[in-house]
Amino acid sequence: MVEWTDFERATIQNIFSKIDYDVVGPAALTRCLVVYPWTQRYFAKFGNLYNADAISANPNVKAHGKTVLCGLERAVKNLDNIKAEYTELSVLHSEKLQVDPDNFLLLADCLTVVIAAQLGEDFTADVHAAFQKFLAVVVSALRKQYH
């Protein structure tokens, strides 16, 4: 079980209250698909992912990026029980979608870059540390069902 300080709890909730899901989610997923093109294989049904412009304009990428942030919001609301909250998502990604679990780390890194850019000077070292801890717990929860 993860122990959260009051600062970490407040920081994580504050980050999610400040960001625009319609901007941050698609930007993070777009960054992931562009910087790590092998991740595109899981999104074959999304259509045109041939270059950065096509990826960033793709409505399926935008919608799924927002879905990812809504999923993260579930973790924010359940900080004390993220692994249980993500059991079904872990099973889905491991058994049905067969996503390489390392991709969760790649997307987490891209999300960190996008949020840091959005928050600017407010993304201090302490805020970054709290956010990284949160993402590490989320990634661990998503990897739980992998064998």
Side-chain angles (χ1 to χ4, degrees):
M1 183 166 155
V2 177
E3 296 291 329
W4 301 100
T5 66
D6 291 341
F7 173 80
E8 290 167 338
R9 286 177 187 277
T11 297
I12 294 162
Q13 291 168 349
N14 188 39
I15 288 171
F16 280 86
S17 73
K18 286 184 176 180
I19 61 175
D20 182 345
Y21 286 29
D22 291 321
V23 173
V24 173
L29 183 56
T30 295
R31 179 178 288 273
C32 188
L33 296 171
V34 170
V35 175
Y36 308 108
W38 58 89
T39 62
Q40 294 175 20
R41 69 178 165 213
Y42 301 106
F43 301 97
K45 293 181 181 179
F46 280 19
N48 183 359
L49 301 176
Y50 299 125
N51 58 45
D53 289 336
I55 292 168
S56 65
N58 188 303
N60 294 313
V61 171
K62 291 177 182 181
H64 193 67
K66 185 176 178 181
T67 298
V68 168
L69 281 187
C70 290
L72 287 172
E73 184 177 47
R74 286 175 46 195
V76 173
K77 292 178 179 177
N78 295 285
L79 284 174
D80 293 318
N81 206 6
I82 293 174
K83 286 195 181 200
E85 183 66 30
Y86 274 32
T87 299
E88 289 180 27
L89 275 176
S90 181
V91 170
L92 171 70
H93 285 84
S94 68
E95 295 177 13
K96 183 177 180 190
L97 302 175
Q98 299 178 339
V99 173
D100 179 342
D102 289 341
N103 291 336
F104 302 134
L105 289 171
L106 300 177
L107 183 56
D109 287 345
C110 291
L111 182 61
T112 301
V113 170
V114 171
I115 287 179
Q118 291 282 314
L119 297 181
E121 291 180 1
D122 291 339
F123 199 73
T124 64
D126 291 336
V127 169
H128 186 184
F131 191 63
Q132 286 300 113
K133 179 178 176 179
F134 169 73
L135 290 176
V137 173
V138 167
V139 167
S140 176
L142 286 169
R143 290 177 166 217
K144 182 179 176 189
Q145 298 301 317
Y146 283 79
H147 306 290

